Amino acid sequence: MRSHRPLPDSNELLPRYRSIVPEWTRFAAACGRPLPTVIRTNTLRATPEALRERLLRQGYAVSSISWDGTLFEVDRPIGSTIEHWLGLFYVQEAVQTLPVIALDPHPDEAILDLCAAPGGKTTQIAAQMDGTGPLIANEPSGRRQQALLANVNRLGLLNATITAYRGEAFPLRARFDRVLVDAPCSAEGTVRKEPSLWQGASNGTIVRLARLQKRLIVRAYDLLRPGGALVYSTCTFAPEENEAVVAHLLSIRDAQLMPIRLPFEASPGLDAWGEEIYPSELRGCARIYPHQIDSGGGFVARIERS
C-alpha cells in the first residue's frame, strides 16, 4: 500500500504551467501522490511471465501495465531481491520508458545513447536490439559512469560500449541509425518525488540547461546517417527546454519532425509559449503529465534526417 502525503497547495504548484496543463485538478492531485514502484523486465534474461511468477511466489502483488507487456507495478520496494541482483528487471518510472518506445530500436542497428547514465534507457535499448548490433552508451561524468557500468553489467549487456565524451562534442567520425538524447534538464517532471520542485525550477537553471540542450540536439542530429532517427526527451515541463530546443534544431538543420506514436494518448507539444511562436509541427511532439499514466512527467520528440 502506497503511503500518502499532504497535497501541495494547487495555487503554489508549478504556477507558470497552469495555462497549459490539461485537467489541472487531476494533475495537482497526482503530483501529491507517491510514485508507484514500476519495474521493466529485462527480456535479455527473463520473460515477463517468468519474472511475474517469481515475484508472486515471494508474496509481491504484481500488476500489469496495460500499454507495455514488459512493465509491472509492484506493491513495495524491490531492489533487495535476488531477481534484481540477477538483472532480471530494472526499476524504472513508466514515463521513462517512453523515449525508447519512440526511438523504436531494432537488432543490428548502430545506436547511440548520448546522455546514458544511469543506464535505464541504455538497457531498454539493448533489450529491444536483442543484444545485437553496436550500442554506444555515452556519459561524460565519471561519478555517473559508475552507475551506468553497474547497470550494464548487472543486466548482462554484451553489445554495449561505454564512452566518456561531452555529448555536444561527440566525435563526428561515427554515424548512427538512431540516437537518443535524454537530455540533462531541470527535472520538473519528477515533482512527485522532489517536493522542492513544486514551485518549479529557477529561471536561471532553465536558461542554462536550454543552452546545453540546444548544443546536444544539434550534435545528435549531425551524428545520424541519412534516414536515421533522433529522439529528444526530457523529464521537465519547461517549454524553453522542450519545444524551443526542437525548434532551434529545425531552424538550423533540414530536419523533419515526425509525429510521436505512443501506446496511449498524450498531450500535444506547444506551438506557442508566452511571446514565443513555434512551428506548428511542434504539436506532433508529446507532453506527458503525471495524471495521464500515474507516473512522472516528460516530453518526447522524434526527428528524422532526410
Side-chain angles (χ1 to χ4, degrees), residues 30-284:
C31 289
R33 293 194 299 268
L35 278 167
T37 299
V38 173
I39 61 174
R40 175 180 51 79
T41 311
N42 176 21
T43 55
L44 296 174
R45 287 194 162 171
T47 64
E49 295 77 14
L51 176 61
R52 180 188 179 99
E53 288 302 315
R54 289 185 67 137
L55 298 179
L56 287 172
R57 286 198 297 269
Q58 294 186 48
Y60 283 91
V62 183
S63 303
S64 299
I65 304 293
S66 62
W67 47 268
D68 190 317
T70 69
L71 300 181
F72 298 108
E73 180 179 341
V74 294
D75 61 332
R76 60 188 187 274
I78 198 168
S80 61
T81 61
I82 187 63
E83 286 78 11
H84 175 266
W85 294 111
L86 289 173
L88 304 189
F89 64 83
Y90 189 95
V91 180
Q92 190 171 24
E93 293 179 39
V95 71
Q96 293 298 325
T97 68
L98 300 178
V100 176
I101 291 174
L103 188 68
D104 191 26
H106 291 82
D108 297 319
E109 292 180 327
I111 298 181
L112 169 64
D113 186 353
L114 193 61
C115 310
K121 296 175 182 66
T122 297
T123 56
Q124 185 181 0
I125 290 169
Q128 292 198 21
M129 296 173 74
D130 294 333
T132 66
L135 170 58
I136 307 300
N138 184 69
E139 176 52 54
S141 166
R143 179 179 58 83
R144 289 172 59 80
Q145 284 168 14
Q146 296 175 23
L148 176 61
L149 280 162
N151 284 315
V152 164
N153 289 328
R154 182 174 62 85
L155 273 71
L157 274 60
L158 300 179
N159 63 324
T161 300
I162 294 174
T163 58
Y165 298 103
R166 287 187 301 114
E168 65 272 34
F170 194 95
L172 291 170
R173 296 187 300 272
R175 288 294 183 270
F176 296 91
D177 297 297
R178 300 176 199 263
V179 178
L180 174 64
V181 182
D182 186 51
C185 70
S186 57
E188 292 171 331
T190 67
V191 65
R192 293 180 70 171
K193 59 184 180 182
E194 294 293 343
S196 62
L197 289 168
W198 283 355
Q199 294 183 340
S202 70
N203 183 67
T205 296
I206 291 171
V207 170
R208 173 179 58 81
L209 288 166
R211 293 194 191 104
L212 171 61
Q213 292 154 355
K214 289 174 180 176
R215 297 195 297 269
L216 288 170
I217 198 172
V218 171
R219 179 52 60 109
Y221 181 81
D222 290 344
L223 287 163
L224 286 175
R225 292 173 178 162
L230 159 67
V231 165
Y232 174 81
S233 62
T234 73
C235 59
T236 194
F237 303 122
E240 298 91 339
E241 300 181 62
N242 294 328
E243 288 88 353
V245 173
V246 177
H248 171 72
L249 175 66
L250 298 181
S251 73
I252 65 172
R253 294 288 189 273
D254 186 23
Q256 185 175 7
L257 185 64
M258 306 300 292
I260 287 288
R261 295 184 179 89
L262 296 179
F264 58 88
E265 186 174 352
S267 295
L270 305 177
D271 54 16
W273 171 251
E275 297 181 357
E276 296 293 324
I277 304 298
Y278 306 128
S280 59
E281 58 260 43
L282 267 291
R283 291 186 61 80

